């Protein structure tokens, strides 16, 4: 079954839904994490693990960008930077679920794990469909904000360097400055000009990137939003 058919039994929009792909796309090579030390490890054990890591990395053609106790950042021989453990898309929701309504906000919440190996620099959000004029969504890029935590439990505001919208692909790209460190839950709040005119379920593919000139984008799955016609309201609204 494809990811987009993995539907929640309730179509409630306000709670949102993050749909993970069944198949991980372009996963980075796996490196043994020998530098996760334990209290009873001896110096000899640590040196042996480190040597094994470096030897395996050399065999795979991987450069190791800094070795830290909790995570190992991955870099290929050509300079491409990967997350060691990619962020997760944990929630998607909207403040207004009526089709064609203006003034709403879409929330995408991501969790950057402690062992990500790299901070989160860029997030790209693109609709799976929306080629027709009635499905197209445009954004007020100057109104994009971000904060630590979730929609219901907000923390401090996070600085955004830039927000760009691609008319052809309808992708919205948000860049953080500084990048969001590992161990952080972050929520993006993006503002559409209005909801799509056509009602129905819309899937938004979310891709995360670490910092660097040459980086590998990790596809995190689909965020699901459901829009309704003005004359229809689910009983839970």
């Amino acid at each position: 079954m494809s990811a987009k058919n993995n539907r929640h039994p309730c179509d409630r929009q306000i709670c949102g839904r993050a749909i993970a792909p069944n198949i991980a796309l372009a996963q980075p090579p796996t490196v043994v994490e020998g530098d996760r030390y334990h209290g009873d490890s001896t110096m000899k054990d640590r040196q042996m693990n480190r040597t094994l890591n470096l030897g395996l990395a050399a065999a795979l053609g991987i450069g190791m960008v800094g070795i830290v106790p909790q995570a190992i950042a991955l870099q290929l021989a050509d300079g491409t930077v990967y997350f060691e453990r990619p962020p997760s898309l944990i929630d998607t929701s909207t403040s207004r679920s009526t089709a064609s309504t203006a003034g709403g906000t879409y929330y995408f919440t991501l969790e950057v794990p402690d062992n990500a190996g790299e901070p989160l620099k860029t997030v790209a959000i693109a609709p799976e469909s929306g080629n027709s004029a009635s499905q197209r969504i445009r954004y007020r890029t100057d109104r994009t904000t971000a904060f630590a935590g979730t929609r219901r439990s907000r923390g401090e505001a996070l600085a955004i360097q830039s927000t760009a919208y691609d008319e052809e692909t309808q992708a919205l790209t948000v860049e953080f400055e500084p990048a969001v460190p590992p161990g952080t839950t972050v929520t993006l709040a993006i503002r559409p000009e209005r909801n799509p005119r056509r009602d129905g379920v819309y899937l938004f593919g979310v891709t995360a990137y670490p910092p660097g000139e040459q980086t590998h984008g990790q596809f995190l799955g689909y965020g699901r939003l459901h829009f309704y016609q003005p004359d229809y309201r689910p009983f839970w609204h």
Side-chain angles (χ1 to χ4, degrees):
M1 181 180 294
S2 65
K4 65 183 180 182
N5 289 327
N6 184 14
R7 301 288 172 82
H8 194 275
C10 123
D11 276 334
R12 176 167 57 177
Q13 173 45 41
I14 296 302
C15 69
R17 180 75 168 161
I19 302 174
N22 291 330
I23 301 176
L25 303 182
Q27 291 288 350
T30 300
V31 176
V32 177
E33 297 177 351
D35 273 17
R36 286 186 175 177
Y37 297 145
H38 300 281
D40 57 352
S41 295
T42 64
M43 181 61 70
K44 183 176 180 181
D45 292 334
R46 297 177 186 180
Q47 291 173 345
M48 289 180 63
N49 284 337
R50 185 184 180 94
T51 301
L52 288 171
N53 277 338
L54 294 174
L56 180 57
L60 293 173
I62 299 172
M64 301 179 74
V65 185
I67 299 177
V68 296
Q70 295 301 319
I72 303 171
L74 295 181
Q75 186 179 48
L76 298 186
D78 64 1
T80 303
V81 178
Y82 285 83
F83 289 111
E84 167 65 9
R85 292 289 182 273
S88 300
L89 176 64
I90 61 175
D91 189 56
T92 308
S93 64
T94 179
S95 62
R96 298 194 176 183
S97 58
T98 303
S100 201
T101 298
T105 302
Y106 304 161
Y107 298 92
F108 291 82
T109 301
L110 287 71
E111 188 173 70
V112 187
D114 291 328
N115 58 350
E118 290 284 340
L120 173 65
K121 178 63 175 178
T122 305
V123 177
I125 301 171
E128 184 195 19
S129 60
N131 296 325
S132 68
S134 62
Q135 293 176 306
R136 181 174 288 271
I137 303 174
R138 291 183 172 86
Y139 301 94
R140 304 173 66 180
T141 56
D142 60 330
R143 301 292 300 276
T144 301
T145 59
F147 50 88
T150 66
R151 178 184 176 188
R152 304 300 182 189
S153 181
R154 302 190 185 199
E156 63 179 348
L158 300 176
I160 291 176
Q161 180 177 3
S162 64
T163 304
Y165 175 70
D166 188 309
E167 287 280 353
E168 183 176 349
T169 64
Q170 301 179 57
L172 187 76
T173 303
V174 181
E175 218 174 306
F176 296 99
E177 183 56 48
V180 180
T184 304
T185 297
V186 55
T187 296
L188 275 172
I190 62 177
R191 300 290 299 274
E193 292 181 358
R194 63 177 56 251
N195 290 342
R197 296 202 306 269
R198 181 183 297 181
D199 63 334
V201 173
Y202 288 71
L203 300 180
F204 297 80
V206 180
T207 304
Y209 297 83
E213 294 184 2
Q214 188 170 338
T215 60
H216 172 80
Q218 178 68 47
F219 180 68
L220 308 184
Y222 291 99
R224 176 182 181 274
L225 298 179
H226 195 165
F227 301 105
Y228 302 92
Q229 286 299 331
D231 58 350
Y232 172 74
R233 292 291 184 278
F235 68 89
W236 53 78
H237 276 216

